[in-house]
Every structure is written in structure tokens, then in C-alpha cells.
């Protein structure tokens, strides 16, 4: 039995994660209500993205810094 070679399409190759952007601090300017989100010990600002998205939808200003020694 022959097993066909499956090659990923060009579209899949172009949609790679940009890991450098995952470790960058994140800021969104909203209204006067500000929220400071801190990631965990082994985390990056990207781990707080789901929380920051909800706060943005509520209109808040959101800042997620990259803690020293992380990312």
C-alpha cells in the first residue's frame, strides 16, 4: 500500500505564529477606567489576552506589561 505524501498548503505556512509579538507589552486606550493586568510567573502578556479583550469591549483602558525576566 502506498501512502501519499501530504504537504501543507502555502496558506498554512504563511499563518505562522509571530512569537516575538506574543511577548510584547500590550496597551489599549479606552475610557477613564484603567485596568492593569499582570501575567503569571512563566507567562507573557499574551496569556492575559482573553481577559484584556473582555475589558476592551467594556470600554476600559488596558495595560499588560511584560514583567522583567519573563517572555
Amino acid at each position: 500500500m502506498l501512502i501519499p505524501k501530504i504537504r501543507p498548503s502555502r496558506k498554512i505556512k504563511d499563518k505562522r505564529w509571530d512569537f516575538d509579538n506574543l511577548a510584547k507589552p500590550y496597551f489599549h486606550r479606552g475610557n477613564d477606567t484603567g485596568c492593569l493586568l499582570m501575567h503569571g510567573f512563566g507567562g507573557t502578556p499574551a496569556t492575559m489576552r482573553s481577559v484584556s479583550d473582555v475589558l476592551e469591549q467594556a470600554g476600559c483602558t488596558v495595560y499588560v506589561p511584560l514583567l522583567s525576566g519573563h517572555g
Side-chain angles (χ1 to χ4, degrees), residues 3 19 67:
I3 300 174
F19 290 104
L67 299 177

Side-chain angles (χ1 to χ4, degrees), residues 15-58:
K15 293 185 178 181
R16 287 176 263 177
W17 285 94
D18 184 7
F19 290 104
D20 292 336
N21 284 334
L22 294 176
K24 288 184 179 176
Y26 178 74
F27 178 77
H28 169 78
R29 182 175 299 281
N31 59 23
D32 290 341
T33 303
C35 299
L36 174 65
L37 302 177
M38 307 297 270
H39 59 78
F41 178 70
T44 65
T47 59
M48 300 304 297
R49 191 59 190 228
S50 59
V51 178
S52 68
D53 288 344
V54 172
L55 292 170
E56 284 177 32
Q57 290 174 1

Side-chain angles (χ1 to χ4, degrees), residues 6 41 58 63 68:
I6 299 173
F41 178 70
Y63 179 54
S68 179

